[in-house]
Short mmCIF file of all heavy atoms in Angstrom, two decimals:
data_model
loop_
_atom_site.label_atom_id
_atom_site.label_comp_id
_atom_site.label_asym_id
_atom_site.label_seq_id
_atom_site.Cartn_x
_atom_site.Cartn_y
_atom_site.Cartn_z
N MET A 119 87.79 112.42 179.26
CA MET A 119 87.24 111.76 180.46
C MET A 119 87.54 112.57 181.72
O MET A 119 88.60 113.22 181.75
CB MET A 119 88.09 110.40 180.61
CG MET A 119 87.84 109.71 181.81
SD MET A 119 88.64 108.12 182.14
CE MET A 119 90.14 108.15 181.25
N LYS A 120 86.65 112.63 182.56
CA LYS A 120 86.77 113.38 183.80
C LYS A 120 86.73 112.33 184.97
O LYS A 120 85.92 111.39 184.96
CB LYS A 120 85.71 114.36 184.00
CG LYS A 120 85.80 115.52 183.02
CD LYS A 120 84.72 116.56 183.28
CE LYS A 120 84.74 117.66 182.20
NZ LYS A 120 83.76 118.61 182.49
N ILE A 121 87.42 112.55 186.01
CA ILE A 121 87.42 111.80 187.22
C ILE A 121 86.41 112.34 188.16
O ILE A 121 86.36 113.52 188.47
CB ILE A 121 88.89 111.74 187.83
CG1 ILE A 121 89.85 111.14 186.92
CG2 ILE A 121 88.74 110.94 189.20
CD1 ILE A 121 91.25 111.12 187.46
N GLU A 122 85.49 111.42 188.63
CA GLU A 122 84.39 111.87 189.55
C GLU A 122 84.83 111.67 190.91
O GLU A 122 84.52 112.53 191.80
CB GLU A 122 83.21 110.96 189.24
CG GLU A 122 82.07 111.32 190.13
CD GLU A 122 80.77 110.45 189.75
OE1 GLU A 122 80.71 110.03 188.53
OE2 GLU A 122 79.95 110.22 190.56
N LYS A 123 85.55 110.54 191.33
CA LYS A 123 85.89 110.28 192.66
C LYS A 123 87.23 109.45 192.76
O LYS A 123 87.45 108.65 191.82
CB LYS A 123 84.73 109.55 193.39
CG LYS A 123 85.03 109.25 194.81
CD LYS A 123 83.74 108.70 195.57
CE LYS A 123 82.88 107.77 194.82
NZ LYS A 123 81.89 107.07 195.52
N VAL A 124 88.02 109.68 193.77
CA VAL A 124 89.30 108.89 193.95
C VAL A 124 89.11 108.36 195.35
O VAL A 124 88.85 109.09 196.28
CB VAL A 124 90.49 109.73 193.76
CG1 VAL A 124 91.67 108.96 194.16
CG2 VAL A 124 90.58 110.17 192.33
N HIS A 125 89.42 107.01 195.52
CA HIS A 125 89.57 106.42 196.86
C HIS A 125 90.80 105.73 196.91
O HIS A 125 91.14 104.77 196.15
CB HIS A 125 88.41 105.44 197.04
CG HIS A 125 88.28 104.90 198.44
ND1 HIS A 125 87.39 103.97 198.82
CD2 HIS A 125 88.94 105.24 199.61
CE1 HIS A 125 87.52 103.70 200.15
NE2 HIS A 125 88.47 104.54 200.62
N ILE A 126 91.73 106.19 197.85
CA ILE A 126 93.11 105.57 198.03
C ILE A 126 93.23 105.08 199.45
O ILE A 126 92.87 105.63 200.37
CB ILE A 126 94.16 106.79 197.80
CG1 ILE A 126 94.02 107.38 196.49
CG2 ILE A 126 95.54 106.23 198.02
CD1 ILE A 126 94.80 108.66 196.25
N LYS A 127 93.75 103.84 199.47
CA LYS A 127 93.92 103.10 200.74
C LYS A 127 95.37 102.54 200.76
O LYS A 127 95.82 101.88 199.86
CB LYS A 127 92.92 101.95 200.89
CG LYS A 127 91.48 102.47 201.12
CD LYS A 127 90.57 101.20 201.34
CE LYS A 127 90.63 100.83 202.75
NZ LYS A 127 89.51 99.97 203.06
N ASN A 128 96.06 102.77 201.90
CA ASN A 128 97.32 102.14 202.18
C ASN A 128 98.41 102.33 201.14
O ASN A 128 99.02 101.39 200.67
CB ASN A 128 97.11 100.67 202.51
CG ASN A 128 96.21 100.48 203.74
OD1 ASN A 128 96.25 101.21 204.64
ND2 ASN A 128 95.40 99.48 203.61
N ILE A 129 98.60 103.58 200.65
CA ILE A 129 99.69 103.89 199.78
C ILE A 129 100.53 104.91 200.37
O ILE A 129 100.01 105.98 200.71
CB ILE A 129 99.10 104.31 198.32
CG1 ILE A 129 98.32 103.19 197.67
CG2 ILE A 129 100.31 104.81 197.48
CD1 ILE A 129 97.86 103.49 196.34
N LYS A 130 101.79 104.61 200.58
CA LYS A 130 102.81 105.52 201.26
C LYS A 130 102.05 105.98 202.59
O LYS A 130 101.73 105.15 203.37
CB LYS A 130 103.17 106.61 200.27
CG LYS A 130 104.03 106.13 199.18
CD LYS A 130 104.54 107.25 198.31
CE LYS A 130 105.37 106.70 197.17
NZ LYS A 130 105.85 107.76 196.31
N GLY A 131 101.98 107.26 202.76
CA GLY A 131 101.51 107.81 204.02
C GLY A 131 100.02 107.90 204.13
O GLY A 131 99.45 108.40 205.10
N ILE A 132 99.29 107.59 203.03
CA ILE A 132 97.79 107.61 203.01
C ILE A 132 97.17 106.39 203.48
O ILE A 132 97.35 105.39 202.85
CB ILE A 132 97.35 108.08 201.56
CG1 ILE A 132 97.98 109.39 201.20
CG2 ILE A 132 95.79 108.17 201.58
CD1 ILE A 132 97.58 109.79 199.70
N LYS A 133 96.48 106.47 204.58
CA LYS A 133 95.84 105.27 205.10
C LYS A 133 94.54 104.96 204.44
O LYS A 133 94.23 103.94 203.94
CB LYS A 133 95.57 105.48 206.63
CG LYS A 133 96.79 105.66 207.40
CD LYS A 133 97.37 104.35 207.81
CE LYS A 133 98.58 104.66 208.82
NZ LYS A 133 99.72 103.86 208.54
N ASP A 134 93.65 106.02 204.36
CA ASP A 134 92.33 105.92 203.74
C ASP A 134 91.82 107.37 203.37
O ASP A 134 91.57 108.10 204.19
CB ASP A 134 91.33 105.25 204.70
CG ASP A 134 90.06 104.91 204.03
OD1 ASP A 134 89.92 104.95 202.76
OD2 ASP A 134 89.09 104.49 204.78
N LEU A 135 91.73 107.60 202.10
CA LEU A 135 91.33 108.94 201.58
C LEU A 135 90.41 108.79 200.44
O LEU A 135 90.60 108.02 199.48
CB LEU A 135 92.63 109.67 201.08
CG LEU A 135 92.33 111.06 200.39
CD1 LEU A 135 91.97 112.05 201.42
CD2 LEU A 135 93.63 111.48 199.73
N GLU A 136 89.28 109.53 200.52
CA GLU A 136 88.37 109.57 199.42
C GLU A 136 88.18 111.04 199.06
O GLU A 136 87.79 111.90 199.89
CB GLU A 136 87.04 108.96 199.84
CG GLU A 136 86.06 108.84 198.68
CD GLU A 136 84.81 108.00 198.94
OE1 GLU A 136 85.04 106.91 199.62
OE2 GLU A 136 83.73 108.35 198.51
N LEU A 137 88.35 111.33 197.77
CA LEU A 137 88.20 112.76 197.28
C LEU A 137 87.08 112.68 196.21
O LEU A 137 87.12 111.88 195.33
CB LEU A 137 89.48 113.24 196.54
CG LEU A 137 90.65 113.35 197.52
CD1 LEU A 137 91.93 113.64 196.60
CD2 LEU A 137 90.40 114.42 198.54
N SER A 138 86.10 113.66 196.28
CA SER A 138 85.09 113.73 195.28
C SER A 138 85.35 115.01 194.50
O SER A 138 85.64 116.04 195.08
CB SER A 138 83.73 113.83 196.00
OG SER A 138 82.75 114.10 195.03
N PHE A 139 85.26 114.86 193.21
CA PHE A 139 85.52 115.99 192.33
C PHE A 139 84.19 116.54 191.69
O PHE A 139 84.10 116.93 190.53
CB PHE A 139 86.53 115.60 191.29
CG PHE A 139 87.82 115.12 191.72
CD1 PHE A 139 88.30 113.97 191.46
CD2 PHE A 139 88.61 115.88 192.69
CE1 PHE A 139 89.52 113.49 191.90
CE2 PHE A 139 89.76 115.45 193.24
CZ PHE A 139 90.24 114.27 192.80
N LYS A 140 83.15 116.45 192.50
CA LYS A 140 81.86 116.93 192.04
C LYS A 140 81.36 118.08 192.94
O LYS A 140 81.66 118.14 194.17
CB LYS A 140 80.83 115.85 192.21
CG LYS A 140 80.98 114.73 191.17
CD LYS A 140 79.99 113.61 191.35
CE LYS A 140 78.68 114.01 190.82
NZ LYS A 140 77.70 112.96 190.81
N LYS A 141 80.57 119.00 192.34
CA LYS A 141 79.92 120.09 193.22
C LYS A 141 78.56 120.37 192.59
O LYS A 141 78.50 120.38 191.28
CB LYS A 141 80.77 121.39 193.12
CG LYS A 141 80.19 122.42 193.95
CD LYS A 141 81.00 123.63 193.95
CE LYS A 141 80.34 124.71 194.80
NZ LYS A 141 81.19 125.95 194.83
N ASP A 142 77.55 120.40 193.28
CA ASP A 142 76.19 120.48 192.78
C ASP A 142 75.84 119.44 191.78
O ASP A 142 75.31 119.79 190.76
CB ASP A 142 75.98 121.94 192.26
CG ASP A 142 76.18 122.98 193.23
OD1 ASP A 142 75.91 122.73 194.47
OD2 ASP A 142 76.58 124.11 192.93
N ASN A 143 76.32 118.23 192.02
CA ASN A 143 76.05 117.07 191.13
C ASN A 143 76.64 117.14 189.73
O ASN A 143 76.25 116.53 188.85
CB ASN A 143 74.58 116.80 191.07
CG ASN A 143 74.22 115.30 190.96
OD1 ASN A 143 75.08 114.48 191.28
ND2 ASN A 143 73.10 114.96 190.41
N LYS A 144 77.68 118.08 189.62
CA LYS A 144 78.38 118.16 188.31
C LYS A 144 79.84 117.96 188.57
O LYS A 144 80.43 118.40 189.51
CB LYS A 144 78.22 119.63 187.75
CG LYS A 144 76.82 119.95 187.30
CD LYS A 144 76.78 121.28 186.65
CE LYS A 144 77.48 121.32 185.39
NZ LYS A 144 77.35 122.65 184.70
N ILE A 145 80.54 117.14 187.64
CA ILE A 145 81.93 117.00 187.77
C ILE A 145 82.75 118.19 187.46
O ILE A 145 82.44 118.87 186.43
CB ILE A 145 82.42 115.82 186.83
CG1 ILE A 145 81.61 114.50 187.25
CG2 ILE A 145 83.83 115.55 186.98
CD1 ILE A 145 81.84 113.41 186.21
N LEU A 146 83.67 118.56 188.28
CA LEU A 146 84.40 119.79 188.13
C LEU A 146 85.38 119.80 186.95
O LEU A 146 85.90 118.67 186.60
CB LEU A 146 85.25 120.09 189.34
CG LEU A 146 84.41 120.28 190.66
CD1 LEU A 146 85.37 120.30 191.89
CD2 LEU A 146 83.62 121.54 190.61
N ASP A 147 85.55 120.96 186.31
CA ASP A 147 86.48 120.98 185.07
C ASP A 147 87.90 121.26 185.57
O ASP A 147 88.85 120.85 184.90
CB ASP A 147 86.02 122.13 184.19
CG ASP A 147 84.76 121.91 183.46
OD1 ASP A 147 84.54 120.66 183.11
OD2 ASP A 147 84.01 122.87 183.23
N LEU A 148 88.09 121.83 186.74
CA LEU A 148 89.43 122.21 187.20
C LEU A 148 89.56 121.71 188.70
O LEU A 148 88.69 122.01 189.50
CB LEU A 148 89.69 123.70 187.15
CG LEU A 148 91.01 124.14 187.56
CD1 LEU A 148 92.19 123.72 186.75
CD2 LEU A 148 90.98 125.70 187.56
N ILE A 149 90.65 121.04 189.02
CA ILE A 149 90.92 120.61 190.33
C ILE A 149 92.33 121.03 190.75
O ILE A 149 93.27 120.96 189.98
CB ILE A 149 90.82 119.08 190.45
CG1 ILE A 149 89.43 118.72 190.09
CG2 ILE A 149 91.14 118.62 191.83
CD1 ILE A 149 89.31 117.26 189.60
N VAL A 150 92.49 121.62 191.96
CA VAL A 150 93.77 122.12 192.36
C VAL A 150 94.10 121.37 193.62
O VAL A 150 93.28 121.39 194.65
CB VAL A 150 93.73 123.62 192.71
CG1 VAL A 150 95.07 124.13 193.25
CG2 VAL A 150 93.40 124.39 191.37
N LEU A 151 95.25 120.74 193.72
CA LEU A 151 95.73 120.08 195.01
C LEU A 151 96.78 120.97 195.54
O LEU A 151 97.77 121.33 194.93
CB LEU A 151 96.35 118.76 194.69
CG LEU A 151 95.46 117.65 194.08
CD1 LEU A 151 96.38 116.43 193.82
CD2 LEU A 151 94.44 117.35 195.07
N ALA A 152 96.56 121.47 196.76
CA ALA A 152 97.45 122.45 197.44
C ALA A 152 97.65 121.99 198.86
O ALA A 152 96.81 121.44 199.43
CB ALA A 152 96.84 123.77 197.48
N GLY A 153 98.90 122.11 199.29
CA GLY A 153 99.21 121.81 200.69
C GLY A 153 100.72 121.91 200.95
O GLY A 153 101.42 122.19 199.99
N VAL A 154 101.05 121.79 202.17
CA VAL A 154 102.46 121.87 202.58
C VAL A 154 103.26 120.75 202.09
O VAL A 154 102.76 119.72 201.71
CB VAL A 154 102.62 122.12 204.09
CG1 VAL A 154 101.88 123.34 204.56
CG2 VAL A 154 102.10 120.84 204.82
N ASN A 155 104.55 120.83 202.09
CA ASN A 155 105.44 119.77 201.64
C ASN A 155 105.15 118.58 202.58
O ASN A 155 105.05 118.74 203.76
CB ASN A 155 106.94 120.17 201.83
CG ASN A 155 107.33 121.22 200.73
OD1 ASN A 155 106.60 121.37 199.72
ND2 ASN A 155 108.49 121.87 200.97
N GLY A 156 105.12 117.37 201.90
CA GLY A 156 104.92 116.15 202.64
C GLY A 156 103.45 115.85 202.99
O GLY A 156 103.22 114.91 203.71
N SER A 157 102.56 116.57 202.42
CA SER A 157 101.11 116.32 202.80
C SER A 157 100.46 115.29 201.96
O SER A 157 99.34 114.92 202.19
CB SER A 157 100.38 117.64 202.73
OG SER A 157 100.34 118.17 201.38
N GLY A 158 101.10 114.85 200.82
CA GLY A 158 100.58 113.71 199.99
C GLY A 158 100.05 114.16 198.60
O GLY A 158 99.40 113.37 197.96
N LYS A 159 100.37 115.37 198.19
CA LYS A 159 99.91 115.76 196.84
C LYS A 159 100.42 114.85 195.73
O LYS A 159 99.74 114.42 194.91
CB LYS A 159 100.25 117.24 196.56
CG LYS A 159 99.73 118.21 197.60
CD LYS A 159 100.26 119.63 197.38
CE LYS A 159 101.72 119.78 197.37
NZ LYS A 159 102.36 119.78 198.67
N THR A 160 101.70 114.61 195.80
CA THR A 160 102.36 113.81 194.74
C THR A 160 101.87 112.40 194.84
O THR A 160 101.64 111.75 193.82
CB THR A 160 103.88 113.91 194.87
OG1 THR A 160 104.32 115.26 194.75
CG2 THR A 160 104.56 113.07 193.77
N THR A 161 101.63 111.89 195.99
CA THR A 161 101.13 110.50 196.20
C THR A 161 99.82 110.34 195.58
O THR A 161 99.56 109.30 194.98
CB THR A 161 101.14 110.19 197.72
OG1 THR A 161 102.44 110.25 198.32
CG2 THR A 161 100.58 108.75 197.93
N ILE A 162 98.90 111.32 195.77
CA ILE A 162 97.58 111.28 195.10
C ILE A 162 97.69 111.19 193.58
O ILE A 162 97.09 110.35 192.97
CB ILE A 162 96.75 112.45 195.56
CG1 ILE A 162 96.45 112.35 197.00
CG2 ILE A 162 95.51 112.57 194.71
CD1 ILE A 162 95.89 113.62 197.66
N LEU A 163 98.55 112.14 193.01
CA LEU A 163 98.73 112.08 191.57
C LEU A 163 99.43 110.92 191.04
O LEU A 163 98.93 110.31 190.04
CB LEU A 163 99.56 113.35 191.16
CG LEU A 163 98.86 114.76 191.44
CD1 LEU A 163 99.88 115.85 191.12
CD2 LEU A 163 97.61 114.88 190.56
N GLU A 164 100.44 110.38 191.79
CA GLU A 164 101.01 109.03 191.31
C GLU A 164 100.06 107.91 191.44
O GLU A 164 100.09 107.00 190.58
CB GLU A 164 102.29 108.79 192.14
CG GLU A 164 103.38 109.77 191.82
CD GLU A 164 104.64 109.58 192.72
OE1 GLU A 164 104.50 108.95 193.77
OE2 GLU A 164 105.68 110.01 192.32
N SER A 165 99.15 107.87 192.38
CA SER A 165 98.25 106.79 192.54
C SER A 165 97.15 106.87 191.43
O SER A 165 96.91 105.76 190.82
CB SER A 165 97.32 107.00 193.84
OG SER A 165 98.32 106.89 194.99
N ILE A 166 96.77 107.99 190.91
CA ILE A 166 95.87 108.13 189.91
C ILE A 166 96.53 107.67 188.57
O ILE A 166 96.04 106.94 187.78
CB ILE A 166 95.34 109.61 189.74
CG1 ILE A 166 94.50 109.99 190.81
CG2 ILE A 166 94.64 109.76 188.37
CD1 ILE A 166 94.08 111.43 191.02
N LYS A 167 97.81 108.07 188.45
CA LYS A 167 98.66 107.70 187.19
C LYS A 167 98.87 106.22 187.13
O LYS A 167 98.59 105.58 186.15
CB LYS A 167 100.01 108.37 187.28
CG LYS A 167 100.94 108.01 186.14
CD LYS A 167 102.38 108.44 186.33
CE LYS A 167 103.00 107.86 187.54
NZ LYS A 167 104.04 106.86 187.35
N ASP A 168 99.19 105.61 188.31
CA ASP A 168 99.37 104.12 188.37
C ASP A 168 98.07 103.39 188.04
O ASP A 168 98.10 102.31 187.49
CB ASP A 168 99.93 103.79 189.73
CG ASP A 168 101.32 104.24 189.87
OD1 ASP A 168 102.02 104.67 188.89
OD2 ASP A 168 101.86 104.23 191.11
N PHE A 169 96.96 103.91 188.47
CA PHE A 169 95.69 103.29 188.15
C PHE A 169 95.42 103.16 186.59
O PHE A 169 95.02 102.16 186.15
CB PHE A 169 94.53 103.96 188.79
CG PHE A 169 93.22 103.39 188.52
CD1 PHE A 169 92.73 102.27 189.21
CD2 PHE A 169 92.35 103.93 187.52
CE1 PHE A 169 91.55 101.68 188.91
CE2 PHE A 169 91.12 103.46 187.25
CZ PHE A 169 90.75 102.29 187.93
N PHE A 170 95.72 104.18 185.94
CA PHE A 170 95.49 104.25 184.49
C PHE A 170 96.67 103.63 183.76
O PHE A 170 96.57 103.17 182.66
CB PHE A 170 95.20 105.65 184.00
CG PHE A 170 93.86 106.19 184.41
CD1 PHE A 170 93.76 107.04 185.46
CD2 PHE A 170 92.77 105.73 183.77
CE1 PHE A 170 92.44 107.51 185.83
CE2 PHE A 170 91.48 106.14 184.10
CZ PHE A 170 91.35 107.06 185.20
#
């Protein structure tokens, strides 16, 4: 299963975030979350985990 899009609202420091994992109308095989400490990378991953 591949994730096409994630929409997160009001979880920890994330007010409203929508991420699309598509390029040229194809779902990507590899996704990298990168950012400075405290930017929400772990919150995004935990939100996806909690959904499933």
Side-chain angles (χ1 to χ4, degrees):
M119 171 179 27
K120 294 183 182 180
I121 297 173
E122 181 177 332
K123 180 171 38 172
V124 173
H125 189 186
I126 300 171
K127 289 180 85 169
N128 299 323
I129 296 186
K130 293 186 181 179
I132 299 176
K133 301 274 187 222
D134 190 10
L135 173 70
E136 187 168 320
L137 298 172
S138 175
F139 303 126
K140 290 177 77 174
K141 183 177 181 183
D142 299 330
N143 213 21
K144 291 180 71 177
I145 300 173
L146 299 171
D147 291 326
L148 178 67
I149 298 156
V150 176
L151 294 177
V154 299
N155 289 344
S157 62
K159 300 176 301 286
T160 302
T161 302
I162 293 168
L163 294 174
E164 288 175 346
S165 299
I166 293 169
K167 176 190 65 108
D168 291 345
F169 177 80
F170 287 103

